[in-house]
Amino acid sequence: VQLVESGGGLVQPGGSLRLSCEASGITFSYYWMTWVRQAPGKGLEWVAHINQDGTETHSMDSVRGRFTISRDNARNSLSLQMNSLRAEDTAVYYCARGVRELRRDWFDSWGQGTLVTVSS
Amino acid sequence: SSELTQDPAVSVALGQTVRITCHGDSLRTYYASWYQQRPGQAPILVIYGKNNRPSGIPDRFSGSTSENTASLTITGVQAEDEADYYCYSRDSSGHRGVFGGGTRVTV
């Protein structure tokens, strides 16, 4: 299983960035997919997730309306469109493969992350 | 509440046992999963569900849950267990996820 993120970089406040995560070695369409971020020197923060066919998405309060998670199962690809970026969005962004059951869920594969820096 | 609370840090001697706890109202409904993160590396899953270990995780790692508290226990701590540990579960809505603040384990 391999997850490879791309698209990070330096962007000015108010700008936009699109992150991608390419999956290989898995049947991508079987799994929930999630974005998790980690600000420098801080802990992990769940950002958003999407179900197997893309019909259900959820995101954290501070990014709702600014970030959009999507997927393309034909291309084994997950995306995070980030608009109206703020300094507090600066973080390493990880994509993770999720398993979601009635009362439990977990992330059993992670990418290496892509750094997003929001600064003027 | 959608928060999960962990102690920031704990120290343990080599070969001893350490228990890391995670508190949150949503844990009365949903199981936690636990992640180990070494400096500069991506997190890895160590425990999920009631007490399940992924392939490749040593059996010195175990999990438990009681009411609003989930625990990760490392029995016979090794030097390579020095890392940050995070709990994760759903929030009280059941729709979104939430991580605890993390516990730094020093051996």
Side-chain angles (χ1 to χ4, degrees):
Chain A
V1 177
Q2 191 172 19
L3 300 173
V4 179
E5 301 93 339
S6 61
L10 175 64
V11 61
Q12 292 188 341
S16 297
L17 215 53
R18 186 176 182 87
L19 305 184
S20 295
C21 172
E22 305 297 323
S24 59
I26 64 170
T27 306
F28 183 71
S29 60
Y30 284 5
Y31 297 95
W32 282 74
M33 295 298 296
T34 300
W35 287 99
V36 175
R37 71 184 183 184
Q38 186 169 35
K42 302 297 184 183
L44 300 176
E45 187 172 47
W46 179 89
V47 176
H49 65 198
I50 186 168
N51 71 341
Q52 290 91 332
D53 63 5
T55 58
E56 184 176 348
T57 64
H58 298 281
S59 59
M60 61 186 297
D61 290 345
S62 64
V63 308
R64 199 166 303 131
R66 300 189 298 123
F67 290 10
T68 301
I69 187 172
S70 62
R71 66 190 297 161
D72 183 340
N73 286 344
R75 298 186 177 186
N76 287 355
S77 177
L78 174 73
S79 296
L80 185 68
Q81 177 66 43
M82 303 186 296
N83 299 329
S84 303
L85 282 160
R86 306 167 180 167
E88 53 266 35
D89 296 319
T90 294
V92 173
Y93 285 73
Y94 295 100
C95 72
R97 182 180 86 170
V99 180
R100 192 171 171 91
E101 298 180 352
L102 185 61
R103 289 182 58 201
R104 60 181 190 170
D105 40 350
W106 63 93
F107 310 119
D108 59 359
S109 294
W110 295 69
Q112 283 305 301
T114 186
L115 176 63
V116 172
T117 303
V118 184
S119 175
S120 55
Chain B
S1 169
S2 61
E3 293 183 348
L4 297 178
T5 303
Q6 298 181 239
D7 290 333
V10 63
S11 296
V12 58
L14 197 65
Q16 297 302 301
T17 295
V18 64
R19 190 174 82 150
I20 304 162
T21 57
C22 174
H23 304 281
D25 288 343
S26 65
L27 298 177
R28 297 179 185 276
T29 306
Y30 303 104
Y31 287 107
S33 52
W34 291 91
Y35 303 85
Q36 176 193 70
Q37 187 180 34
R38 297 187 178 107
Q41 297 186 15
I44 62 169
L45 176 69
V46 294
I47 290 289
Y48 65 97
K50 195 171 185 179
N51 180 20
N52 301 99
R53 279 178 292 105
S55 173
I57 300 300
D59 61 5
R60 63 179 179 271
F61 289 88
S62 63
S64 63
T65 188
S66 175
E67 297 187 353
N68 71 331
T69 300
S71 301
L72 173 70
T73 300
I74 312 173
T75 304
V77 168
Q78 302 298 301
E80 61 264 32
D81 300 333
E82 185 163 282
D84 294 327
Y85 291 84
Y86 296 90
C87 60
Y88 166 88
S89 188
R90 294 187 208 175
D91 72 357
S92 53
S93 76
H95 295 302
R96 288 175 289 276
V98 60
F99 283 94
T103 298
R104 176 153 296 176
V105 173
T106 301
V107 180

